[in-house]
Amino acid sequence: MQTLQDTTNDKNQVLVTFIIPVYNIPTEMLYDCLDSILRLSLRKHEREIIVVDDGSTISSLNSLDNYLDNIIYIRQKNGGLGSARNRGLQNATGQYIQFVDADDALITNQYEHCLDMARFQSPDMVMFEFCRKAKSQKVYTDQKLVTGRFLLRHQNIKATACGYLFKSTILGDLRFTTGIYHEDEEFTPLLILRAGSILQTDAEAYYYRVRENSITTSVDIRNMLKRLNDFKAAIYRLYNFAAVIPGSDRMALLRRVHQLTMDYIYKVIVETRSKHYLDRRLEELRKKGLFPLPDKDYTKKYTWFRKLTNSKIGLAFLMRTLPLINRER
């Protein structure tokens, strides 16, 4: 296997492109994000940092004087997170791509391990863990190399697009669906399916910061209904795509579709607390062939949830007992 160490002799070779969408983010958080990238062992010619200002009320450019020599700054009309990431992909030249939300940061010592995995083993994708603290001293372990198809077929995944470093060559024409919530739920399994080699590590390489006013924590009724509808639409698109791909890939993607359908039913119950709304959504899923949930031995949680949702008594039990949802990604 050719390694990145073999292919980075060219002084102009960019190893990693970091794509940072920005929308009305506090300046200090953006600084923390950029500094966490600049602290990495990557030399200047090995990194590319693309900041996509997605129509912030006030341009971020005026506050970035100290970073201009190290970043590519793009400002566009507001189009949402998916649109900003797509714009970054359009301009990326790195062998690898890493998405970083502007209010988050990379954890230097742990992310360096991910970079070493990319440099010396050259997988299509490196998957790592998140941390709620800015620093981590976790003693990490790595798993053996697997294909994306095997990963989707045999284990659950974390959908967030910031949770992995991936080769730009596997992307092809895949892009984020724009104007929706839950764009990662659709993008990530399709990208993983394209990966011929994935290395997983439990290194806590990414600092995820929860903000009360972020797009992932908004709780008003209109946003809640749009989130549910966008989630359902993403499931339908994955399901339709699964119907036209080869059998081995189809089975891998259908596992993800079925588990997302379970998650969608769960969200409908805990976010709406409405039996009428739930019954209507279940009937829609039934017409699409996604309900009742198929009898698959994916996980214990899936098994008991499938059994409960297959009866009126079980659904009534879920309506009474499921907790209010934690609205963090």
Side-chain angles (χ1 to χ4, degrees), residues 28 32 67 83 88 97 186 191 217 242 280 325:
E28 293 76 13
D32 286 346
Y67 297 91
S83 173
I97 306 292
E186 180 179 0
L191 184 68
T217 54
R280 289 171 56 193
I325 193 167

Side-chain angles (χ1 to χ4, degrees), residues 71-191:
I71 68 172
I72 299 169
Y73 178 85
I74 300 172
R75 182 169 168 84
Q76 66 174 26
K77 182 179 179 181
N78 180 252
L81 181 60
S83 173
R85 286 175 174 168
N86 287 344
R87 186 70 178 275
L89 290 173
Q90 180 182 340
N91 290 273
T93 65
Q95 292 186 50
Y96 280 87
I97 306 292
Q98 175 67 61
F99 296 112
V100 189
D101 287 348
D103 51 350
D104 298 334
L106 301 178
I107 300 175
T108 305
N109 61 319
Q110 303 276 315
Y111 194 82
E112 286 288 356
H113 177 59
C114 300
L115 288 177
D116 284 344
M117 295 172 83
R119 286 183 177 113
F120 300 114
Q121 300 187 60
S122 192
D124 286 341
M125 184 179 289
V126 178
M127 305 185 78
F128 46 81
E129 296 295 328
F130 283 18
C131 184
R132 295 297 176 86
K133 298 179 180 179
K135 296 181 180 180
S136 173
Q137 298 301 324
K138 181 174 182 178
V139 178
Y140 42 76
T141 57
D142 305 331
Q143 298 184 33
K144 65 180 182 180
L145 200 71
V146 297
T147 65
R149 180 191 303 129
F150 180 91
L151 185 66
L152 285 176
R153 185 77 182 268
H154 295 284
Q155 71 180 69
N156 295 344
I157 63 169
K158 294 182 177 68
T160 177
C162 297
Y164 46 83
L165 176 69
F166 68 94
K167 274 187 177 178
S168 57
T169 52
I170 70 171
L171 188 66
D173 60 354
L174 180 63
R175 294 296 183 273
F176 291 91
T177 299
T178 60
I180 66 169
Y181 294 120
H182 299 291
E183 60 275 298
D184 292 5
E185 295 289 4
E186 180 179 0
F187 179 87
T188 295
L190 294 179
L191 184 68

Side-chain angles (χ1 to χ4, degrees), residues 209-227:
R209 190 187 334 233
V210 180
R211 293 192 303 123
E212 289 302 318
N213 61 343
S214 71
I215 61 172
T216 57
T217 54
S218 178
V219 297
D220 65 82
I221 297 298
R222 183 176 298 178
N223 273 341
M224 180 265 288
L225 291 177
K226 178 170 171 51
R227 286 178 188 281

